[in-house]
Amino acid sequence: MRSFSEPCTRVGDAALHGTILAGPSLSHEIQEEGEMTEDEPKVYLEASDLWTQFHRCGTEMVITKSGRRMFPPLKASCSGMDRQAKYIVLMDIVAADDCRYKFHNSRWMVAGKADPEMPKRMYIHPDSPATGEQWMSKVVNFHKLKLTNNMSDKHGFTILNSMHKYQPRFHIVKTNDIVKLPYSTFRTYVFCETEFIAVTAYQNDQITQLKIDNNPFAKGFRDTGNGRREKRRVKSHSFTHITT
């Protein structure tokens, strides 16, 4: 796990550092009885080593009309919250730049200007709102978030354009009611290694192999028995049906 203590840059391995994007924040709040209570939330990315492996190869996430879960899944741990106060934890996925990409000669390269953006949607963690103590006592898992390329989606999935680069963002809002979100201050947290390119079929064999090696739902493709033969057969079809 790693926190957002260093600036996010785009030079080599420095891109693996994290950053926090937020307005003015107070490290402590004064309660009515005069005691000091901590209120400086920090977020730590779970499975950061795995995310780093994917990032170095150029992470790809499959999007489908029916919706597809992400792998690696987005999970985080929190600290520094006011234990008694209530918070809403949510995330969204935004365009990382204004380019469209293509995979050519075993690498991603810019192929033109980005398509018009899809409708922006935020995914509110279903446990929201909850106390700081509750959030800090567990890993916050966003595994139910799904990605789609269906512009008419009615399920609340995150709508993305294929062959475009995206950046997930975590948000923490100190409020006890979801209806207050539009009027609340967001603390926003970004991990550069979670950036990915949306695809309808995996392009890079290295990413395909990482998914097979690490995704428990791809166990049928392991290097054992029928798995070897199945993996060779699926590889020739661009691995379009590996569950992620």
Side-chain angles (χ1 to χ4, degrees):
M1 296 187 299
R2 192 172 40 70
S3 67
F4 295 90
S5 58
E6 302 177 44
C8 178
T9 59
R10 298 286 177 178
V11 182
D13 287 344
L16 305 182
H17 298 320
T19 187
I20 174 173
L21 309 172
S25 62
L26 301 177
S27 59
H28 297 84
E29 287 188 353
I30 304 218
Q31 294 181 318
E32 291 183 4
E33 61 269 25
E35 296 180 358
M36 300 295 286
T37 179
E38 187 175 15
D39 185 30
E40 193 175 4
K42 295 180 177 64
V43 174
Y44 303 83
L45 179 67
E46 294 284 329
S48 59
D49 289 345
L50 181 60
W51 276 105
T52 297
Q53 291 182 56
F54 276 90
H55 181 75
R56 287 174 175 163
C57 297
T59 308
E60 300 171 21
M61 295 289 177
V62 167
I63 57 177
T64 64
K65 186 174 182 180
S66 60
R68 182 71 68 91
R69 293 185 181 185
M70 298 174 65
F71 187 86
L74 287 162
K75 301 179 183 180
S77 298
C78 301
S79 68
M81 292 176 164
D82 179 341
R83 291 184 175 276
Q84 280 71 49
K86 286 195 173 182
Y87 297 85
I88 291 173
V89 177
L90 62 160
M91 65 166 295
D92 64 356
I93 298 175
V94 297
D97 54 35
D98 60 353
C99 301
R100 179 182 175 85
Y101 290 82
K102 65 179 179 179
F103 194 72
H104 182 67
N105 289 335
S106 299
R107 67 185 182 92
W108 286 102
M109 56 191 303
V110 174
K113 192 167 180 60
D115 296 334
E117 284 193 54
M118 297 293 100
K120 288 185 173 63
R121 289 178 171 176
M122 286 195 163
Y123 179 85
I124 300 174
H125 193 281
D127 292 347
S128 300
T131 64
E133 183 171 11
Q134 290 172 310
W135 289 121
M136 293 188 291
S137 68
K138 61 185 178 182
V139 172
V140 183
N141 196 331
F142 289 91
H143 69 286
K144 291 185 178 180
L145 181 147
K146 289 188 176 183
L147 310 179
T148 184
N149 54 359
N150 180 12
M151 292 182 61
S152 302
D153 174 72
K154 306 297 184 185
H155 303 288
F157 299 158
T158 297
I159 306 172
L160 304 178
N161 284 317
S162 179
M163 311 303 268
H164 289 63
K165 187 180 291 186
Y166 292 96
Q167 176 66 65
R169 305 187 303 179
F170 297 93
H171 308 279
I172 294 178
V173 182
K174 188 178 182 182
T175 182
N176 60 1
D177 194 334
I178 289 176
V179 300
K180 297 179 181 178
L181 272 178
Y183 317 102
S184 303
T185 299
F186 279 56
R187 287 185 174 96
T188 298
Y189 306 80
V190 175
F191 286 108
C192 294
E193 62 264 56
T194 60
E195 182 182 82
F196 65 87
I197 291 181
V199 296
T200 54
Y202 294 119
Q203 305 294 303
N204 186 345
D205 287 345
Q206 290 179 292
I207 293 297
T208 303
Q209 192 61 52
L210 279 171
K211 301 256 184 180
I212 290 171
D213 291 343
N214 294 282
N215 187 349
F217 294 102
K219 62 184 178 181
F221 299 89
R222 298 289 192 270
D223 285 331
T224 56
N226 292 334
R228 276 200 304 271
R229 294 190 294 274
E230 179 70 359
K231 189 172 69 173
R232 286 195 296 270
R233 184 183 70 79
V234 174
K235 187 172 182 178
S236 67
H237 290 83
S238 301
F239 295 87
T240 56
H241 62 285
I242 297 175
T243 303
T244 56

